[in-house]
Amino acid sequence: MLGRTYERENCSAARTLEVVGERWSLLILRDAMFAGSTRFTEFQRGLGVAPNILSSRLERFVEAGLMSTRPIGGEQATHEYILTEKGLDLQPVLVALTVWGDRWAAPQGPPILYRHEGCGGALRQLSICEDCGAELTADQVAVEPGPGTLAT
């Protein structure tokens, strides 16, 4: 079994993978974010994931603060899983993975499209310089040590 941590890595991407990098994790978050799934049975029915795996992932999301639970009135020991602000902040990540998949792993074309609810326009994600507003390509991005470099 693969480990879930990257102790030797002082890297925010590695730390993010520790929380959302396991199989099914991003699909569960996708369904919570874009399909409105909140109940265990909705996630299981929609994804076909084994109950023990789903339970483990949802518990991990609650522990990590990506989701919170809310009791469902009248039903004993039943609750919903609700994305928190921290969980909702993964929206651009999910859209970016989808855009990459649409380009490189969807030979028949995109299976779903993300659109702006207000006008119906397609989403486009960009890397933009905070100082000058330039739209950047990967070869225009430099990496330098940040304030967390010394923290280990």
Side-chain angles (χ1 to χ4, degrees):
M1 182 170 149
L2 294 174
R4 187 171 68 192
T5 62
Y6 300 92
E7 287 109 11
R8 294 177 39 161
E9 294 292 323
N10 184 13
C11 170
S12 295
R15 298 291 171 249
T16 303
L17 286 174
E18 290 176 356
V19 179
V20 301
E22 291 182 301
R23 184 177 171 98
W24 296 107
S25 292
L26 290 172
L27 298 180
I28 294 165
L29 292 168
R30 177 205 63 194
D31 283 7
M33 197 169 300
F34 298 112
S37 298
T38 60
R39 296 181 181 208
F40 188 95
T41 55
E42 293 171 338
F43 291 113
Q44 191 182 27
R45 185 175 34 245
L47 295 169
V49 59
N52 61 322
I53 300 294
L54 179 57
S55 180
S56 171
R57 299 301 182 272
L58 291 170
E59 286 174 19
R60 175 89 169 122
F61 294 158
V62 171
E63 289 171 9
L66 299 179
M67 290 180 151
S68 61
T69 58
R70 179 172 60 197
I72 298 173
E75 298 183 36
Q76 211 172 35
T78 303
H79 53 270
E80 296 180 294
Y81 294 90
I82 308 298
L83 287 168
T84 63
E85 179 182 0
K86 186 176 180 180
L88 289 168
D89 271 354
L90 288 164
Q91 186 259 7
V93 175
L94 291 168
V95 172
L97 283 170
T98 302
V99 168
W100 185 92
D102 289 346
R103 180 171 181 191
W104 299 105
Q108 306 303 319
I112 63 165
L113 299 171
Y114 293 115
R115 299 220 174 260
H116 177 212
E117 280 188 4
C119 74
L123 295 187
R124 183 170 67 124
Q125 289 192 306
L126 305 169
S127 294
I128 299 175
C129 176
E130 286 186 354
D131 289 343
C132 72
E135 294 179 16
L136 306 176
T137 60
D139 63 336
Q140 296 173 312
V141 177
V143 178
E144 62 184 49
T149 300
L150 301 176
T152 53

